[in-house]
Amino acid sequence: MFHQLSRRMLYKGMLMEITGSNILPLLLGSVGIIVLYKLLQRMKQRAYIQDTVVVITGASSGLGKECAKLFHSVGARLVLCGRDRQKLEELVQELTGGADGKRKTHTPNVVTFDLRDVDAMADRAEEIVGCFGQVDILINNAGISHRGTILDTDVSVDRDVMNINYFGPIALTKAILPSMVQRKSGHIVTISSIQGKIAIPFRSAYGASKHATQAFFDCLRAEVEQFGILVTVISPGYIRTNLSVNAVTGDGSKYGVMDKNTAEGWDPQDVAKAILTAVSRKKKDVVLAGMMPTLAVYLRTLLPCAFFPIMAARARKERKVKKN
Ligand SMILES: NC(=O)C1=CN([C@@H]2O[C@H](COP(=O)(O)OP(=O)(O)OC[C@H]3O[C@@H](n4cnc5c(N)ncnc54)[C@H](OP(=O)(O)O)[C@@H]3O)[C@@H](O)[C@H]2O)C=CC1
Ligand SMILES: CCCCCCCCCCCCCCCC(=O)OCC(=O)COP(=O)(O)O
């Protein structure tokens, strides 16, 4: 009883302290400014995306699907790409069926292709541009990962992963680019990976394709800035999708395992939100990962002699686990 009374008196005293001084208006003012800032940011994001033509590759699942949902909800005119027409049509149904009427949304278009068909990208680009007459934002998201030792990975697998993750996307980008240069406007977004900045053992084909991606789009950014075209490279850490399940092994077969790191990765919805923010803020290079992967990027750059033994130890440990 005494305790309750004294605690109540303490709270009352604290409240009087706060209300009596300048802290309360200062506190309320700060909260107000933060709320207003967030509101303005959201309005700016919507304004940047509303009615723009956004092409998303790999829209049938995982991160691409979440980006499709989010960009659709903020009013983008979408072109959804992937290999599986049925999955993409189902997504269109899902997006258009749930319209709440509050916001103006557009019915997405679907274009199907396999990124391995590098020579077909020019025709597919024409089909994509034809959907709405222009492309404002191209999101190169589709990709596949790799699991296997370099000793046991056939070169055909390296080539396949490079075609899907690198040659296909750059061929598509090159084919869409002239229409952007002509309009002096456009934004190319590429979903790379932390593994575009550091190499992790037993994913050589994947890491190589993402490093190549980073280099290509860094070059592109510098070359097309003069035409008013923006380039954003996004490098996420682990995301909770089927990337590891769909990964290809050294002999070309499907890995088929949901890795622990992937299962415990970031929610793809949160990553899609971070991508929307990065795109609307016209960011050039964004790492979307936790502390350890981010530190690993710095370690690789600033102190490679410390980074390499860590990776070698990781390779030894994983090899041992596989043998047991
Ligand atoms: N999940 C993760 O931990 C991370 C993922 N990323 C990157 O995010 C991107 C999306 O992957 P995520 O959503 O995770 O994985 P998913 O496996 O869920 O999605 C991959 C997408 O790529 C498409 N795709 C695969 N192969 C081809 C092909 N040959 N031609 C055309 N499209 C193809 C698939 O479409 P379909 O099979 O229907 O054709 C699917 O929509 C990838 O670039 C990946 O590297 C980056 C960092 C971490
Ligand atoms: C100063 C102290 C620094 C400590 C650094 C320690 C180094 C720790 C290594 C951390 C490695 C992080 C790897 C992250 C890899 C990643 O996030 O990849 C994302 C993907 O693309 C996933 O694809 P995958 O096929 O590998 O599932």
Side-chain angles (χ1 to χ4, degrees), residues 165-301:
N165 290 1
Y166 179 70
F167 286 111
I170 71 151
L172 184 66
T173 304
K174 280 170 184 248
I176 288 178
L177 203 55
S179 63
M180 288 184 169
V181 171
Q182 208 178 18
R183 295 175 52 235
K184 290 210 179 307
S185 157
H187 194 154
I188 291 160
V189 182
T190 284
I191 311 301
S192 178
S193 160
I194 277 280
Q195 291 179 56
K197 295 180 187 285
I198 55 170
I200 310 291
F202 308 121
R203 292 142 171 83
S204 52
Y206 181 66
S209 71
K210 293 296 185 182
H211 272 67
T213 297
Q214 177 82 53
F216 179 90
F217 288 95
D218 281 354
C219 281
L220 183 69
R221 182 187 303 111
E223 289 184 25
V224 298
E225 199 191 65
Q226 60 190 306
F227 303 117
I229 299 168
L230 302 165
V231 175
T232 301
V233 177
I234 308 269
S235 300
Y238 292 107
I239 313 168
R240 215 178 311 134
T241 68
N242 274 333
L243 186 76
S244 74
V245 175
N246 294 332
V248 68
T249 66
D251 63 8
S253 60
K254 193 170 160 171
Y255 178 59
V257 177
M258 172 59 86
D259 280 350
K260 191 169 175 279
N261 283 333
T262 317
E264 291 172 357
W266 284 17
D267 185 330
Q269 268 187 29
D270 293 337
V271 181
K273 278 185 202 159
I275 291 171
L276 176 65
T277 304
V279 170
S280 54
R281 289 188 187 171
K282 302 174 184 173
K283 297 275 183 202
K284 292 181 168 70
D285 193 75
V286 182
V287 171
L288 296 176
M291 196 176 66
M292 281 313 255
T294 308
L295 279 176
V297 174
Y298 284 110
L299 199 66
R300 168 65 182 86
T301 315

